[in-house]
Amino acid sequence: MSIDKLLDLSTGNMPGPESSFGNCRVQPHEYGWIVFVSPDTEEVPEWLQPAHSYAVEHECSLINFDRDADVDEALPQWDW
């Protein structure tokens, strides 16, 4: 059995609703986006690199960008 970790971030930790996710697999949901994390992913956009690196470092397999999640002050932030 496997239990995966998820990094839960605010959409305020991304530049806007039209942000490019590069080659990352992404699934939109009603209030944001789920990004599938892999250390082998190429072409991670500059804005996503800090969150992606943090997720890889902490063995998270997903990043959930959700409008109701708390903004992580340690990661880049945008007001949109």
Side-chain angles (χ1 to χ4, degrees):
M1 175 173 33
S2 172
I3 298 175
D4 293 324
K5 292 182 186 179
L6 175 134
L7 176 58
D8 195 35
L9 297 174
S10 169
T11 52
N13 287 116
M14 55 186 295
E18 302 300 321
S19 299
S20 168
F21 291 95
N23 285 348
C24 297
R25 286 182 43 215
V26 173
Q27 179 63 48
H29 60 83
E30 188 172 2
Y31 302 111
W33 295 265
I34 294 175
V35 179
F36 295 80
V37 176
S38 170
D40 301 328
T41 302
E42 297 179 13
E43 296 184 37
V44 175
E46 187 176 337
W47 74 266
L48 183 56
Q49 287 175 1
H52 189 272
S53 295
Y54 185 88
V56 168
E57 178 182 332
H58 290 88
E59 299 177 351
C60 298
S61 58
L62 302 168
I63 301 171
N64 179 41
F65 287 100
D66 190 288
R67 73 173 189 189
D68 294 328
D70 293 332
V71 173
D72 189 318
E73 302 291 331
L75 295 172
Q77 302 165 44
W78 290 268
D79 189 20
W80 49 279

